Amino acid sequence: MEFEEFFLTFAYVPNSGAKLERLPYRLKTWDADLRDYLAFLDTKKPVVMGGDLNVAHLDIDIYNVESPHVVKSAGTTPEERQSFAQTLQSLDFVDTFRKQHPHVTGWYTQWSQRAGNRPKNRGLRLDYFICSKRLDVVDGFICEQTAPWASDHAPLGVTLRL
């Protein structure tokens, strides 16, 4: 969507798969194409992108980061995490939640329903609003208690000063 002062776009980034069979596509094609598209938009005006980006960027975005399976699981591989870091850095974008809450722990956006992890808050932060650094982010927030029965993901919000 194009607004007077910025573009707003949403994405669902493909999951790399249970056996990471889609990881090469994700890294070499999807992430690269997404960076190119966002860079193109950003030449015209600032960009805000939200969605399920299927990556837990930082260690504090993973409740069990020390578990051996984490580095071999979709969304938490070192390659996916590095690719997301590259996206933020190369585009000069910011993770709106971490900009406002850089060290907070225990805030996740996805919990395994199969394992019953939501009540125990054993989750991952896979959903984001990211935006051009030149936008003034007032807050990025997670609405984890909004309709918890409706999805294994929590809704997000971002407040900008225009």
Side-chain angles (χ1 to χ4, degrees):
M1 298 172 61
E2 183 173 2
F3 293 95
E4 184 176 330
E5 299 195 32
F6 64 94
F7 287 106
L8 175 63
T9 185
F10 291 91
Y12 170 80
V13 174
N15 184 291
S16 293
K19 297 181 181 178
L20 302 178
E21 64 273 9
R22 291 186 299 272
L23 183 60
Y25 166 76
R26 157 99 187 247
L27 298 173
K28 293 184 175 112
T29 304
W30 177 269
D31 286 359
D33 288 349
L34 179 63
R35 276 192 285 276
D36 289 346
Y37 177 67
L38 295 175
F40 167 75
L41 291 177
D42 200 52
T43 63
K44 300 175 182 304
K45 59 177 80 172
V47 176
V48 177
M49 184 181 83
D52 179 353
L53 305 188
N54 263 316
V55 63
H57 180 216
L58 303 174
D59 285 355
I60 59 176
D61 298 327
I62 304 168
Y63 90 91
N64 61 342
V65 72
E66 303 86 13
S67 294
H69 75 276
V70 166
V71 297
K72 301 179 281 185
S73 298
T76 57
T77 66
E79 296 89 350
E80 290 166 305
R81 296 171 72 194
Q82 176 54 40
S83 183
F84 185 69
Q86 180 184 347
T87 296
L88 294 175
Q89 184 177 28
S90 68
L91 296 172
D92 205 25
F93 274 30
V94 63
D95 168 353
T96 63
F97 180 78
R98 284 287 166 224
K99 180 173 195 276
Q100 300 301 320
H101 313 283
H103 306 292
V104 70
T105 61
W107 284 86
Y108 307 115
T109 65
Q110 190 275 336
W111 303 264
S112 170
Q113 288 181 329
R114 192 174 347 126
N117 281 346
R118 193 172 194 146
K120 304 171 207 162
N121 197 31
R122 295 178 177 170
L124 302 168
R125 196 168 70 91
L126 302 178
D127 305 88
Y128 297 82
F129 274 106
I130 64 173
C131 71
S132 308
K133 280 186 180 174
R134 62 191 189 274
L135 287 171
D136 186 7
V137 177
V138 174
D139 197 11
F141 50 94
I142 300 168
C143 305
E144 81 286 350
Q145 293 303 318
T146 304
W149 62 90
S151 173
D152 60 337
H153 290 257
L156 310 175
V158 61
T159 305
L160 304 173
R161 182 176 294 116
L162 301 175

